[in-house]
Amino acid sequence: MMFKTHTAREVNESLEGKDIFLAGWVHTLRDLGGKKFIVLRDGTGIVQLVVEKGDQAFHSAQELTQESVVRVKGTVKVDKRAPRGIEVKVSELSILSKAKAPLPLDVSDKVSADIDTRLRERVLDLRRLEMQAVMKIQSAAVKAFRQKLYARGFLEVFTPKIIASATEGGAALFPVIYFGREAFLAQSPQLYKELLAGSVERVFEVAPAWRAEESDTPYHLSEFVSMDVEAAFFDYNDVMELLEDLIKGMLDGVGSECSECLKQLNYELPKFEFPIPRITYRESIEILRKEGEDVKFGDDLSTPYLRVLNKALRKDLYFITDWPSSARPFYTKARSDDPTVSESFDLIYKSLEIVSGSTRNSSREVLEEALKQRGLNPQSFEFFLRWFDYGMPPHAGFGMGLSRVMLMLTGLSSVKDVVAFPRDKKRLTP
Amino acid sequence: MMFKTHTAREVNESLEGKDIFLAGWVHTLRDLGGKKFIVLRDGTGIVQLVVEKGDQAFHSAQELTQESVVRVKGTVKVDKRAPRGIEVKVSELSILSKAKAPLPLDVSDKVSADIDTRLRERVLDLRRLEMQAVMKIQSAAVKAFRQKLYARGFLEVFTPKIIASATEGGAALFPVIYFGREAFLAQSPQLYKELLAGSVERVFEVAPAWRAEESDTPYHLSEFVSMDVEAAFFDYNDVMELLEDLIKGMLDGVGSECSECLKQLNYELPKFEFPIPRITYRESIEILRKEGEDVKFGDDLSTPYLRVLNKALRKDLYFITDWPSSARPFYTKARSDDPTVSESFDLIYKSLEIVSGSTRNSSREVLEEALKQRGLNPQSFEFFLRWFDYGMPPHAGFGMGLSRVMLMLTGLSSVKDVVAFPRDKKRLTP
């Protein structure tokens, strides 16, 4: 059946006097005795409905509760007093689903709730205009990311998520019982995307990945969407240039498609410097020492250090390049002019790493040596290493955390906010 | 560094006389004594290189093996005898990665291999021009699918893949050890996409899903990419119409972007009837009985039956609608005029179900009753049911198996062929 002729957003002055059908949720409800004002919400936005005493619809409207789902027929009327200057005078109203009252969470944002309540009542929370805006921005961001990559000849690929062994070594994996055998959930498509770059040259993937994160921080979840790129005949400089184009594309895409959503969030997209400023890891250490931090070559640049760096640099988006080789995974290529550092980078938004990338090792001997140096057994990586015997091109790539990029695109401060149904140590539902 | 100025595909007559850099794999190698012909392959296609005795490059070329990775500088020359009527006379050649000989699989397709060998040597197998074509068609198909949905106001969403309990009941799930607790891999985003349709109205997702398939068939894998759509204020007829548009979009997208790839596969895209013919399940049973099959209302339409139906109907793409209510999952809505059948459909390509969809139940009471009828305990589904108290709109949707659709778009006959690294009971690597 045809539930509606128009969406809430489509109701505008050009429809004045027309009879239309709408369907959606009762966002708010105001009773003025002889008149009821209903703000109707659907996936596109909100529009005001008016039900007047004496109309048949008035009787049905008596029963209405917030978040009930209704279908209405009505006439479009321009009215400057209404939100958006337009309202719909309802002649017919049917309740498709009546919501219990009181609601466990206020969807119309008159009462704010803490994050634990919001995550518990997430299906209602996602109906809030703010969260709808977040979801739209996310969809637009991923769309823009892919469009730029298609235009540059990248193929979207799908790598396996159940893997036989711990790929990168070290990080905590989730075990899966696979037909009676032990297997694991992929913590990243790293090795598979490298192999695919060795087959079809330029690939990307947007897919879930898992890390058994013990800690409860605003930047970690145990399940996350990883946006991965890998390209043969690229080095880390090529990848950084590509990434600049992708970041620009995502900002432009969100900026043009989601201006209403950004207003809803009361957020303005940041204006970054392009090309994105680059400093080396060594330079970062020097700056930090000048700022009085007790940090030396080889140390990890944890969030507190990045905060100091962000302030000292006065840049909100910057690359830190040439990380110590020992601090990066075995597949990272060392610089030939100074093997203590690697052809690697992190892209930092304020004090948060949002992308990590590098030129990869493309020689079996170098990979074996790098594994040994990290206390890993090359034999356990034979499923990966053997392909390097059959023509593996130089290649480079990166992994980008979607929910972290979303913090940049929404101004929100926790990845739990931007992920529809986040998973962490204590959350497996809803 | 800049590895190349042009891709193999970009080398054409307009570049005649120009010096260019190329990089890629040695697809084939022919030695005519004073001349070597190399067919160079990259992610875009192939181009012929010529190395002549006396040139410095000739010396390096002596060492070459098939699938070695090279970078060359050369001059573009029109030559009718060359493949594509063009070749590159090489002046400089460097070997970036030398491949061992012999290869465990012939990438240039002179010797064909069985599927087990191909899957074992998959990284080489994916370099075959045929498999590159398959990967490109897949990327184009998913792109077209998304574009149609964006245009209709659908949001891309990401639902959780680790879930606390068996969602649909029945099918075999993979257990995950989640911080010491038992959890499962989602067999479909079904319940989450319904909840999201109840929050933001129109959603889609392209993501992995898992079923512990014991059987080894050409149509099942234990890990697969599911293309899911769910929309509030849609019923199954609306969904079928949307699906027609998506199938058209995917055929058009692949047809226009991948004509070379289709040629490579020696495949012509099927020309289907639109709107896609619809027959009811009851009509299917009647046709099958007329064809002499011993089948009755309530029976599953397994592949042998669908083969007979395909032949009798003389249609390669058709909807079977109104399946018995008892044969569909608990969330499927029964027809109000005849509750023994449901508002459901399967889209069949020849004898293969490629999409399954329905109008969903949107009332808690009906859902609880449907669970009980199936021997399931409504209390175990409370995480899902409770949201139906707070305004759940009528909604409908479908799930489409990407690898099955790919059989329609490539003419291949097994999903193991089209998935880069398939997972089944015996395969966890590569």
Side-chain angles (χ1 to χ4, degrees):
Chain A
M1 75 166 284
M2 196 267 308
F3 281 100
K4 48 180 167 179
T5 54
H6 292 80
T7 65
R9 169 172 294 267
E10 282 166 358
V11 180
N12 65 28
E13 298 183 4
S14 74
L15 293 174
E16 174 151 39
K18 292 241 166 77
D19 272 0
I20 61 169
F21 286 92
L22 296 172
W25 292 259
V26 173
H27 191 63
T28 61
L29 197 57
R30 253 188 324 144
D31 200 332
L32 302 186
K35 258 188 185 179
K36 284 177 197 296
F37 289 102
I38 300 168
V39 173
L40 183 80
R41 185 191 73 243
D42 67 15
T44 67
I46 56 170
V47 63
Q48 179 164 292
L49 312 179
V50 195
V51 193
E52 282 177 15
K53 207 162 185 169
D55 286 353
Q56 183 242 338
F58 195 82
H59 183 70
S60 317
Q62 296 284 35
E63 279 185 67
L64 274 185
T65 50
Q66 247 189 303
E67 290 310 308
S68 288
V69 178
V70 296
R71 178 172 188 256
V72 298
K73 185 183 175 186
T75 314
V76 179
K77 283 175 55 181
V78 173
D79 190 322
K80 294 231 164 89
R81 294 162 302 178
R84 296 177 45 216
I86 200 100
E87 63 183 23
V88 177
K89 191 180 170 307
V90 174
S91 54
E92 291 171 26
L93 184 151
S94 50
I95 301 177
L96 303 178
S97 172
K98 190 174 166 179
K100 261 193 197 167
L103 296 167
L105 185 92
D106 179 20
V107 176
S108 68
D109 267 336
K110 277 174 195 137
V111 189
S112 64
D114 61 48
I115 184 78
D116 282 329
T117 307
R118 286 180 47 215
L119 291 177
R120 195 179 63 235
E121 306 300 338
R122 193 58 155 176
V123 177
L124 293 175
D125 186 53
L126 292 171
R127 291 183 188 166
R128 290 167 53 238
L129 294 175
E130 188 187 84
M131 284 311 298
Q132 299 222 19
V134 171
M135 303 281 282
K136 281 174 196 168
I137 289 170
Q138 177 171 267
S139 185
V142 178
K143 178 182 167 189
F145 176 84
R146 290 202 193 92
Q147 277 174 337
K148 282 279 179 190
L149 288 163
Y150 293 138
R152 283 165 169 256
F154 281 78
L155 293 186
E156 180 167 17
V157 295
F158 301 94
T159 64
K161 301 307 164 201
I162 302 186
I163 54 169
S165 52
T167 45
E168 294 182 35
L173 296 171
F174 290 113
V176 179
I177 300 159
Y178 192 76
F179 297 111
R181 279 181 285 172
E182 187 183 57
F184 300 96
L185 285 179
Q187 65 179 291
S188 114
Q190 182 62 35
L191 306 188
Y192 283 98
K193 71 178 175 169
E194 286 194 53
L195 296 179
L196 284 169
S199 290
V200 298
E201 201 175 334
R202 296 183 179 190
V203 298
F204 77 90
E205 181 173 27
V206 179
W210 298 268
R211 286 183 204 186
E213 289 285 352
E214 291 281 344
S215 53
D216 187 9
T217 87
Y219 310 120
H220 295 89
L221 287 172
S222 42
E223 178 174 78
F224 58 100
V225 174
S226 185
M227 301 166 90
D228 278 275
V229 165
E230 198 72 24
F233 309 112
F234 269 48
D235 68 11
Y236 76 139
N237 286 309
D238 301 324
V239 168
M240 281 188 276
E241 273 164 43
L242 170 63
L243 189 49
E244 280 170 342
D245 195 30
L246 293 175
I247 296 280
K248 249 190 247 170
M250 290 167 86
L251 288 165
D252 290 349
V254 169
S256 64
E257 275 193 42
C258 307
S259 54
E260 289 290 319
C261 295
L262 292 164
K263 261 185 226 158
Q264 181 69 49
L265 295 173
N266 201 13
Y267 184 63
E268 246 180 77
L269 287 176
K271 286 184 186 34
F272 298 122
E273 193 180 325
F274 285 99
I276 298 168
R278 300 179 188 190
I279 57 165
T280 65
Y281 171 86
R282 274 191 215 279
E283 287 163 350
S284 307
I285 295 290
E286 277 164 35
I287 294 168
L288 287 169
R289 292 178 70 92
K290 260 185 216 152
E291 298 288 326
E293 298 293 329
D294 180 23
V295 62
K296 60 180 191 308
F297 183 88
D299 287 354
D300 188 26
L301 298 185
S302 57
T303 309
Y305 288 141
L306 292 176
R307 275 201 198 105
V308 175
L309 206 54
N310 175 215
K311 221 169 164 186
L313 289 170
R314 298 181 189 199
K315 314 270 183 208
D316 279 349
L317 192 69
Y318 52 102
F319 284 113
I320 302 178
T321 71
D322 301 87
W323 289 72
S325 296
S326 58
R328 305 294 274 203
F330 75 94
Y331 48 77
T332 313
K333 193 180 181 191
R335 280 189 70 121
S336 50
D337 58 349
D338 177 4
T340 59
V341 295
S342 58
E343 297 192 8
S344 60
F345 66 87
D346 280 1
L347 179 62
I348 314 288
Y349 167 62
K350 292 184 176 172
S351 58
L352 184 64
E353 174 221 315
I354 57 173
V355 184
S356 190
S358 65
T359 312
R360 322 302 192 180
N361 284 320
S362 53
S363 136
R364 182 198 256 265
E365 291 65 39
V366 175
L367 283 164
E368 286 180 357
E369 191 49 41
L371 283 164
K372 281 182 209 154
Q373 279 169 4
R374 284 160 183 79
L376 297 165
N377 183 356
Q379 274 173 3
S380 330
F381 288 82
E382 191 55 26
F383 73 95
F384 176 63
L385 298 172
R386 67 177 291 247
W387 307 107
F388 289 73
D389 289 338
Y390 301 117
M392 189 57 74
H395 58 287
F398 67 80
M400 176 190 279
L402 172 58
S403 53
R404 290 182 174 196
V405 172
M406 280 296 292
L407 300 184
M408 177 178 95
L409 297 174
T410 60
L412 296 174
S413 54
S414 166
V415 293
K416 291 189 177 73
D417 237 337
V418 299
V419 172
F421 298 101
R423 291 290 179 258
D424 60 24
K425 201 173 172 182
K426 57 180 184 180
R427 271 184 204 84
L428 254 174
T429 52
Chain B
M1 73 167 284
M2 196 264 311
F3 281 100
K4 48 178 165 181
T5 55
H6 293 79
T7 65
R9 168 172 295 268
E10 282 165 357
V11 181
N12 65 28
E13 298 183 2
S14 75
L15 295 172
E16 175 150 39
K18 293 241 165 76
D19 271 2
I20 62 169
F21 286 92
L22 296 172
W25 292 259
V26 174
H27 191 63
T28 62
L29 197 56
R30 253 187 324 144
D31 198 334
L32 302 186
K35 257 188 185 177
K36 284 179 197 294
F37 290 100
I38 298 167
V39 173
L40 184 81
R41 188 193 69 244
D42 68 14
T44 68
I46 57 171
V47 64
Q48 180 163 289
L49 311 180
V50 195
V51 193
E52 282 176 15
K53 210 165 186 165
D55 287 354
Q56 182 242 339
F58 195 83
H59 183 71
S60 316
Q62 296 284 36
E63 278 185 69
L64 274 185
T65 50
Q66 248 188 301
E67 291 308 308
S68 287
V69 178
V70 296
R71 178 173 188 256
V72 298
K73 184 185 176 186
T75 315
V76 178
K77 282 174 54 182
V78 173
D79 190 322
K80 294 234 163 87
R81 293 162 303 177
R84 294 179 45 215
I86 200 101
E87 63 183 25
V88 177
K89 195 182 167 307
V90 173
S91 54
E92 292 170 25
L93 183 150
S94 50
I95 302 178
L96 302 178
S97 173
K98 191 174 165 179
K100 262 194 197 166
L103 296 166
L105 184 93
D106 180 20
V107 175
S108 67
D109 268 337
K110 276 171 196 140
V111 188
S112 65
D114 60 47
I115 184 79
D116 281 331
T117 308
R118 287 179 47 213
L119 291 178
R120 196 180 61 237
E121 307 300 339
R122 192 57 156 178
V123 177
L124 293 175
D125 187 53
L126 292 172
R127 291 183 187 167
R128 291 168 51 236
L129 294 176
E130 189 187 86
M131 284 311 298
Q132 299 221 20
V134 171
M135 304 281 282
K136 282 173 195 166
I137 289 170
Q138 178 172 268
S139 185
V142 178
K143 178 182 168 189
F145 175 84
R146 289 201 194 91
Q147 277 174 336
K148 283 280 180 189
L149 287 164
Y150 293 140
R152 283 166 170 257
F154 280 78
L155 293 185
E156 181 167 14
V157 295
F158 301 94
T159 64
K161 301 305 165 203
I162 302 186
I163 54 169
S165 52
T167 44
E168 294 182 34
L173 296 170
F174 289 114
V176 179
I177 301 159
Y178 192 77
F179 297 110
R181 277 181 286 172
E182 187 182 58
F184 301 95
L185 285 178
Q187 64 177 295
S188 118
Q190 182 64 35
L191 305 188
Y192 284 98
K193 70 177 176 170
E194 287 194 51
L195 296 179
L196 285 169
S199 290
V200 297
E201 198 174 337
R202 295 183 180 191
V203 298
F204 77 92
E205 180 172 28
V206 178
W210 298 269
R211 287 183 203 187
E213 288 285 351
E214 291 281 345
S215 53
D216 187 9
T217 86
Y219 310 120
H220 296 89
L221 288 172
S222 43
E223 179 174 77
F224 59 100
V225 174
S226 185
M227 301 166 90
D228 278 275
V229 166
E230 197 73 24
F233 309 111
F234 270 47
D235 67 12
Y236 76 140
N237 286 309
D238 301 324
V239 167
M240 282 188 276
E241 272 165 43
L242 169 64
L243 188 49
E244 280 171 342
D245 195 33
L246 294 174
I247 295 280
K248 249 190 247 169
M250 291 168 87
L251 288 165
D252 290 350
V254 168
S256 64
E257 275 193 43
C258 307
S259 54
E260 289 290 319
C261 295
L262 292 165
K263 263 185 223 157
Q264 183 68 50
L265 295 174
N266 201 14
Y267 184 64
E268 246 180 76
L269 287 176
K271 285 181 188 33
F272 297 122
E273 195 180 324
F274 285 98
I276 298 170
R278 300 181 189 188
I279 55 165
T280 64
Y281 171 86
R282 274 192 215 277
E283 286 164 350
S284 307
I285 295 291
E286 276 165 36
I287 294 167
L288 287 170
R289 292 179 70 94
K290 261 185 214 152
E291 297 289 324
E293 298 294 327
D294 181 23
V295 62
K296 61 182 190 305
F297 182 88
D299 288 353
D300 188 26
L301 297 185
S302 57
T303 309
Y305 288 142
L306 293 175
R307 276 202 198 103
V308 175
L309 205 55
N310 176 215
K311 222 170 163 185
L313 289 170
R314 300 181 187 197
K315 314 271 184 207
D316 279 350
L317 193 68
Y318 51 101
F319 284 114
I320 302 178
T321 70
D322 301 87
W323 290 71
S325 295
S326 58
R328 306 293 275 202
F330 75 93
Y331 48 76
T332 313
K333 192 180 180 191
R335 281 189 70 122
S336 51
D337 57 350
D338 175 6
T340 60
V341 295
S342 58
E343 296 193 9
S344 61
F345 66 86
D346 280 3
L347 179 63
I348 315 290
Y349 167 62
K350 291 184 177 171
S351 57
L352 185 64
E353 174 220 314
I354 57 175
V355 184
S356 191
S358 65
T359 312
R360 322 303 192 180
N361 284 321
S362 53
S363 135
R364 182 198 256 263
E365 290 67 38
V366 174
L367 283 164
E368 286 182 357
E369 191 49 41
L371 283 165
K372 282 184 208 154
Q373 278 168 7
R374 284 159 183 79
L376 297 165
N377 183 355
Q379 274 174 2
S380 330
F381 288 81
E382 191 56 26
F383 73 94
F384 175 64
L385 297 173
R386 68 179 288 248
W387 307 108
F388 288 75
D389 290 338
Y390 301 117
M392 187 59 72
H395 58 289
F398 67 80
M400 176 191 278
L402 172 58
S403 53
R404 292 184 173 195
V405 172
M406 279 296 291
L407 300 184
M408 177 178 93
L409 297 174
T410 60
L412 296 174
S413 54
S414 167
V415 294
K416 292 189 175 74
D417 238 337
V418 300
V419 172
F421 298 102
R423 291 290 180 258
D424 58 25
K425 200 173 173 184
K426 57 182 185 181
R427 272 184 203 86
L428 253 174
T429 52

